[in-house]
Amino acid sequence: MTSTKNYKVLNDCRQMYEDEVFDVILEQRGITNPEHFFNPTEDDLLPLDSLLRIEDAFRRVDKAIKEDEKISILFDTDLDGTSSGAIITRYLKNFTSNIKTYIDEGKQHGLIGQDIEKFHDVDLLIIVDSLDKDESQYKKLHESGTDIIILDHHAIKEIIPYDKYAILVSSQRNYGNPQLSGAGVTWKFCKYMDEQYLTGYADELADLAACGLVGDMMDMTVMENRYIVSKGLSKIYNPAIKKIVGGFEFNSNAISFSVAPIINASNRIGKNDIAMKAFIEDDNKILLKYMRELKKCKELQNEEVDRILPKAINSCEKQKDNKMMVVLIDTDYGISGLLGNKLLERYQRPILILKDCGDTYKGSMRAVGVDDFRKICNESGLAKADGHELASGIEIKKELLNEFTLYIEETLSELKSDSVVDVDIQLDISDITRKMVDLIKSIDKISGANFKPIKVYINNIYDYEIGNMSDYKHLTIKPNDYLLIIKWNYNGSFDEMEDHSLVNDELKVVGTVDSGFLGRKFVLKVVCDEIEEVE
């Protein structure tokens, strides 16, 4: 039960009244106008026509509708891409049935590497949440007579003449909110169409937009994003989202821990088309078939992770003195990033999870303790990393792997000490009341990048019972009749925890608060990031 992180408690709120704790959190988070922050309005939307070329895109779609042209929609593979595609598909179905949908395969994005002949007889191709890094495929389609609209949010290379071959509507084109994801751009385009057609179809697609924004970890201090997510969370319209969330409260956590994982699993298993079909299906019988397939994808993913993880841990144990760990895996599934996340949490240093792909190794990089490991990889001239600073895809020629590893060991300065994680408040067990939980949940309802859920530190936990859920998959700690402390996917020793309970060892935990029914009983919950024995 050794912690892998250092925690810094920002506010000691023990023995405070609930409203006092609420005020402390607001001050700590810099929320000066809570009424507006927690209740955004449509006035927080930036003008729809401030998205460059949105009118051009509307005119081209309007022509396709009026002339009954063939329209194809290309979805991207993650939750933002699936949501974006479902938004524009469902919206256009109110005006035309002449639509075909496609989704990228595996972790492929956009048109690069695709056989684009399937779009040659299409009048209009709408690409969502994806932007190619060169114009070659756009040029070929344009020359074949297919018009292209791109609704996106990724960084734009100014030297690429996108406008020569497509209508690009992007939140990265001098727009006031560059943190608007692909689903947000697509939803606002539909809102613009509503204004032109005097309709209101986009409002029933806001739940999809909320999923895209939260799933892509967009900044939740931006009021436009907060409004779209707030509107989306107010009611679930999409049948697939409704089935995934089930009876649980629809909030940012439900998107992050229920909706996104099942879409990501289908992506890793190579069943992206099932996610696409589920998000645009209304027939309950057909949708149930897709949902069973999506759940099977998640089961297959988890089984494969369970199969590979022990070997990966064994490999890491042999490299504990290294600044960077390299793990080679053999799998048909795209789970390298997921494995990287699990190993990074355990070992707290840069990790490469690589698969043998002929002449090269390809996989995922995950890092901590350094500002931009992607840059370090690329500056070596020995590897190519593409993605975020600390989480990206990576490709290395086989004959260069040893040289690259040596380069990292020689050039990487000492890693920063274990990352410090801010914890908003410290509470006692007796402070966890229904009102306290409800107030904190009202803050957490819309959370994401730059506005994380409220972290709570609790120590002095004595007189507790140890239990488990899902046949010893999840650990439960019960300090009283109304509170349950839960550690999902606990990888420690349940017997050791029982021993701590028998001798009444003190525990301390860091996590988030929640509430809901467990079986037929309503309980308050602390969902743990860390559980540690106090020595």
Side-chain angles (χ1 to χ4, degrees):
M1 289 197 302
T2 302
S3 173
T4 58
K5 300 183 181 72
N6 293 324
Y7 291 98
K8 178 184 177 183
V9 176
L10 301 178
N11 300 284
D12 188 343
C13 295
R14 289 175 291 183
Q15 305 305 311
M16 285 186 180
Y17 291 112
E18 293 93 341
D19 292 332
E20 292 179 292
V21 175
F22 185 74
D23 290 340
V24 166
I25 295 171
L26 296 184
E27 182 177 358
Q28 177 63 46
R29 294 292 182 101
I31 301 171
T32 56
N33 186 349
E35 178 60 31
H36 179 215
F37 190 78
F38 295 122
N39 300 283
T41 69
E42 192 164 357
D43 291 338
D44 292 308
L45 285 180
L46 300 180
L48 299 172
D49 59 7
S50 64
L51 280 165
L52 186 65
R53 300 206 69 187
I54 195 170
E55 183 178 356
D56 294 337
F58 165 72
R59 287 177 178 173
R60 184 62 192 86
V61 171
D62 184 53
K63 175 179 180 295
I65 291 171
K66 289 177 178 176
E67 297 181 10
D68 195 30
E69 292 181 334
K70 294 178 181 178
I71 301 174
S72 287
I73 299 168
L74 179 61
F75 290 48
D76 195 38
T77 59
D78 61 6
L79 179 55
D80 192 31
T82 304
S83 297
S84 300
I87 289 169
I88 192 65
T89 301
R90 285 181 169 277
Y91 186 87
L92 291 179
K93 280 184 176 180
N94 292 293
F95 303 95
T96 177
S97 60
N98 205 351
I99 300 172
K100 286 187 177 181
T101 59
Y102 302 85
I103 191 166
D104 284 316
E105 297 180 4
K107 296 198 173 184
Q108 182 175 281
H109 300 283
L111 294 175
I112 291 179
Q114 282 204 35
D115 177 7
I116 60 171
E117 288 190 5
K118 60 179 175 282
F119 299 123
H120 281 181
D121 66 341
V122 172
D123 298 301
L124 176 61
L125 172 63
I126 301 176
I127 302 171
V128 295
D129 191 39
S130 185
L131 188 67
D132 288 7
K133 294 178 181 177
D134 68 55
E135 72 274 26
S136 59
Q137 297 287 67
Y138 301 138
K139 181 180 179 181
K140 291 177 184 177
L141 274 180
H142 178 74
E143 292 174 348
S144 75
T146 299
D147 289 335
I148 304 168
I149 293 174
I150 305 168
L151 305 173
D152 188 53
H153 73 118
H154 294 93
I156 298 171
K157 290 186 176 181
E158 297 299 332
I159 62 171
I160 299 177
Y162 292 107
D163 288 322
K164 191 173 180 179
Y165 307 111
I167 300 173
L168 172 59
V169 181
S170 170
S171 57
Q172 304 303 307
R173 308 192 83 176
N174 299 315
Y175 183 65
N177 175 19
Q179 281 288 314
L180 189 68
S181 75
V185 171
T186 306
W187 185 76
K188 290 198 72 175
F189 176 60
C190 294
K191 288 284 285 184
Y192 184 86
M193 294 184 69
D194 271 344
E195 281 195 354
Q196 310 311 308
Y197 289 141
L198 301 179
T199 52
Y201 299 125
D203 287 347
E204 295 188 4
L205 302 168
D207 53 349
L208 286 161
C211 286
L213 281 159
V214 174
D216 235 34
M217 300 185 69
M218 295 294 100
D219 190 340
M220 283 304 139
T221 63
V222 177
M223 290 309 298
E224 176 169 75
N225 293 349
R226 292 190 68 81
Y227 170 72
I228 297 172
V229 174
S230 176
K231 184 173 184 63
L233 296 179
S234 65
K235 184 176 180 180
I236 303 178
Y237 289 94
N238 187 270
I241 296 173
K242 191 173 293 186
K243 289 194 181 298
I244 294 169
V245 174
F248 293 97
E249 184 178 352
F250 188 41
N251 53 27
S252 293
N253 278 340
I255 295 172
S256 297
F257 297 107
S258 294
V259 185
I262 203 164
I263 300 303
N264 292 339
S266 69
N267 171 235
R268 295 182 183 116
I269 300 301
K271 297 284 188 179
N272 303 342
D273 61 314
I274 302 302
M276 175 189 74
K277 291 174 181 177
F279 268 49
I280 60 176
E281 184 57 62
D282 289 317
D283 184 280
N284 190 56
K285 283 188 176 180
I286 299 174
L287 178 58
L288 284 173
K289 183 187 74 171
Y290 293 145
M291 294 310 301
R292 283 192 291 268
E293 291 186 59
L294 287 175
K295 289 178 181 177
K296 183 63 176 176
C297 287
K298 194 172 181 184
E299 290 170 4
L300 288 172
Q301 167 199 274
N302 293 343
E303 288 171 3
E304 189 73 344
V305 169
D306 290 342
R307 180 183 74 83
I308 293 175
L309 190 58
K311 296 177 183 178
I313 290 173
N314 184 55
S315 176
C316 288
E317 288 295 319
K318 297 174 182 177
Q319 304 176 63
K320 291 178 75 171
D321 294 331
N322 296 352
K323 294 177 182 176
M324 178 185 73
M325 295 176 169
V326 179
V327 178
L328 301 179
I329 63 172
D330 181 14
T331 178
D332 294 329
Y333 300 147
I335 60 172
S336 57
L338 182 59
L339 284 166
N341 291 337
K342 290 179 178 292
L343 294 171
L344 182 69
E345 182 178 0
R346 187 180 187 116
Y347 292 103
Q348 292 291 296
R349 72 195 65 192
I351 292 176
L352 306 185
I353 309 294
L354 303 176
K355 291 169 60 175
D356 187 331
C357 297
D359 294 332
T360 64
Y361 289 117
K362 294 181 181 180
S364 296
M365 172 275 287
R366 296 293 185 268
V368 72
V370 61
D371 293 330
D372 190 343
F373 195 67
R374 176 196 58 184
K375 181 180 179 182
I376 294 171
C377 292
N378 287 328
E379 286 180 345
S380 74
L382 303 168
K384 180 181 178 182
D386 187 17
H388 300 288
E389 291 88 345
L390 301 177
S392 76
I394 191 165
E395 181 175 358
I396 308 169
K397 289 184 178 179
K398 280 185 176 179
E399 67 266 22
L400 298 179
L401 179 59
N402 290 337
E403 186 179 349
F404 174 71
T405 302
L406 182 62
Y407 171 86
I408 295 296
E409 294 299 320
E410 290 179 346
T411 62
L412 189 63
S413 59
E414 288 300 317
L415 297 174
K416 298 175 185 177
S417 59
D418 289 346
S419 55
V420 176
V421 178
D422 287 341
V423 178
D424 296 272
I425 55 175
Q426 180 174 356
L427 297 174
D428 286 332
I429 286 292
S430 59
D431 296 322
I432 308 295
T433 64
R434 175 75 178 270
K435 182 178 180 180
M436 178 75 77
V437 172
D438 287 346
L439 285 172
I440 293 176
K441 284 179 66 177
S442 71
I443 300 174
D444 287 345
K445 183 175 181 179
I446 303 175
S447 56
N450 292 337
F451 196 78
K452 300 293 185 182
I454 304 302
K455 292 289 184 186
V456 177
Y457 171 82
I458 307 170
N459 63 351
N460 295 321
I461 302 175
Y462 297 100
D463 298 322
Y464 48 87
E465 298 176 6
I466 298 299
N468 73 88
M469 293 189 290
S470 299
D471 195 20
Y472 290 92
K473 183 177 182 181
H474 313 301
L475 173 71
T476 62
I477 303 169
K478 184 179 178 183
N480 55 44
D481 289 337
Y482 59 85
L483 178 65
L484 201 62
I485 300 170
I486 304 171
K487 176 60 175 163
W488 302 120
N489 299 309
Y490 181 63
N491 58 16
S493 169
F494 284 84
D495 289 338
E496 184 180 315
M497 290 301 301
E498 286 281 7
D499 292 341
H500 289 313
S501 174
L502 288 172
V503 297
N504 206 24
D505 286 335
E506 179 190 354
L507 300 180
K508 60 181 180 181
V509 302
V510 173
T512 56
V513 299
D514 198 2
S515 62
F517 283 91
L518 197 64
R520 295 185 177 182
K521 184 177 181 180
F522 185 86
V523 295
L524 306 180
K525 307 172 189 175
V526 177
V527 179
C528 295
D529 298 329
E530 295 279 354
I531 302 172
E532 192 171 354
E533 174 199 356
V534 179
E535 296 180 355

